[in-house]
Amino acid sequence: MTDPIRWGILGASKFASEQMGPAIHEAKGATLAGLATSSPDKAARFQTFAPGLTLYDSYDALLAADEIDAVYIPLPNHLHIEWSLKALAAGKPVLCEKPIALKADQIDPLIAARDATGLLAAEAYMIAHHPQWHRTRALIAEGAIGDLVHVEGNFTYDNRDDSANIRNRAETGGGALPDIGVYPIGATRLATGQEPKDVRARIEWEDGVDATSRVDATFPGFTMSVLVSMRMAKRQEMTFHGTDGHLRLTAPFNAGTFGEAGIELTNDDGERILRFPDARQYALQVEAFGQTVRTGAPYPWTLEDAKGTQAVLDAALAAGR
């Protein structure tokens, strides 16, 4: 039997303790072995589900540990590239939270380091591993809705009362587009395999971050409209509208947390609902990462994929200024 990949986490973020930490612990072929944090209170959240994990008092100490095989990075956005490069330099494959960079060209050194070391480096774009999105891509490709004409995406929540949140701070790479714009924009690219020819945006700025952004883009053969906001009630939805029908995705991004993942397909044959109640996308992401590390199998979301989405975000932010 192949030994499980021993994961270490840099930093004890809330998301890591509530989502990715448990996902690593439950994923096949993986175990959560280490956590780098100087906060006993934050460490305690992880020890409730992984009581045997080793605590490290610095990020460097975890990276130097022989007992750690792979690293997950949930640090603030502006630290992603720096610590991903350090992980590769320490000989550890690395899975880093999105957005993996603040600008598209910042990903180039990481691509070079990945290629030079032969180690996997990837952005934690979990929807690329969810069967809801695999099926969406297949339905579009096989013509279930005819020719695609328009895509609409919405992802909103309200954190206006949390001024200390890194998403509300320009110095930590905050903003709605970096935090959640990656989802509807990246999902459009993922589902269609196409890149936009032009990008337009209307942005409401607050203290140097985009609080609400509306992005329109033209792709070969179809158009896209996206709304993301940190100042509106919770909502997430994706719709792909074609000449012969349309697809509506429920809980397209936070499947299981926001609601049940599903696809409503409407065309000349009537309406069909596909449900995915049991798929756990974070655990599937960890398992896919482990499969690539062990066998060299293609990883579903490459750094080049992440760079493509970041290029669209860069264009939207520039247009919105």
Side-chain angles (χ1 to χ4, degrees):
M1 179 180 294
T2 303
D3 291 334
I5 291 175
R6 300 168 297 180
W7 284 81
I9 299 178
L10 298 189
S13 73
K14 181 180 178 182
F15 178 78
S17 67
E18 293 181 353
Q19 298 289 351
M20 277 300 295
I24 291 170
H25 195 61
E26 75 174 64
K28 298 174 183 176
T31 185
L32 180 54
L35 173 68
T37 180
S38 58
S39 170
D41 291 340
K42 291 182 179 179
R45 300 201 302 258
F46 292 80
Q47 291 170 319
T48 58
F49 59 84
L53 89 169
T54 300
L55 299 180
Y56 298 87
D57 59 7
S58 72
Y59 301 156
D60 288 315
L62 185 147
L63 293 182
D66 292 335
E67 297 77 19
I68 299 298
D69 302 315
V71 175
Y72 166 65
I73 297 178
L75 298 172
N77 296 344
H78 68 299
L79 299 175
H80 287 175
I81 289 293
E82 174 187 354
W83 285 98
S84 293
L85 287 169
K86 288 181 177 180
L88 292 182
K92 317 288 189 190
V94 58
L95 179 66
C96 181
E97 264 310 317
K98 54 76 200 162
I100 203 164
L102 301 181
K103 295 284 187 180
D105 59 7
Q106 294 175 355
I107 302 176
D108 291 335
L110 190 58
I111 291 174
R114 176 202 65 189
D115 294 345
T117 61
L119 298 171
L120 177 59
E123 181 182 63
Y125 195 62
M126 73 289 188
I127 71 168
H129 309 275
H130 199 293
Q132 179 190 39
W133 283 101
H134 299 169
R135 191 73 181 106
T136 296
R137 183 167 187 164
L139 287 168
I140 293 172
E142 69 191 34
I145 58 172
D147 295 329
L148 182 61
V149 177
H150 185 65
V151 179
E152 291 185 5
N154 297 279
F155 196 174
T156 61
Y157 62 84
D158 191 345
N159 71 352
R160 75 185 71 206
D161 295 329
D162 189 3
S163 60
N165 192 301
I166 60 174
R167 295 164 182 82
N168 284 320
R169 296 165 55 193
E171 65 271 21
T172 54
L177 278 169
D179 184 42
I180 52 179
V182 297
Y183 289 117
I185 291 172
T188 301
R189 297 178 57 250
L190 174 69
T192 66
Q194 296 192 26
E195 304 293 343
K197 296 186 292 185
D198 67 274
V199 178
R200 304 165 301 283
R202 291 167 292 158
I203 295 178
E204 298 173 18
W205 298 93
E206 292 183 18
D207 299 321
V209 301
D210 66 302
T212 297
S213 291
R214 297 166 179 84
V215 179
D216 296 295
T218 302
F219 288 71
F222 69 93
T223 54
M224 178 196 77
S225 297
V226 163
L227 168 66
V228 293
S229 179
M230 304 187 297
R231 301 294 183 266
M232 298 172 69
K234 286 184 179 179
R235 183 188 178 197
Q236 52 182 268
E237 184 177 75
M238 287 291 292
T239 302
F240 296 84
H241 200 156
T243 55
D244 300 329
H246 55 83
L247 297 169
R248 175 179 172 268
L249 279 68
T250 60
F253 311 126
N254 295 136
T257 302
F258 181 80
E260 182 181 270
I263 302 172
E264 298 174 0
L265 168 60
T266 303
N267 56 22
D268 291 341
D269 295 327
E271 182 175 283
R272 181 157 54 111
I273 299 177
L274 308 175
R275 303 185 187 278
F276 306 87
D278 301 322
R280 295 182 59 80
Q281 59 188 357
Y282 297 112
L284 291 171
Q285 176 177 245
V286 174
E287 291 170 4
F289 191 96
Q291 181 73 5
T292 297
V293 168
R294 286 195 175 96
T295 69
Y299 192 70
W301 188 255
T302 66
L303 291 178
E304 288 81 1
D305 292 324
K307 182 179 178 180
T309 295
Q310 187 61 51
V312 181
L313 295 176
D314 292 350
L317 289 167
R321 292 188 187 280

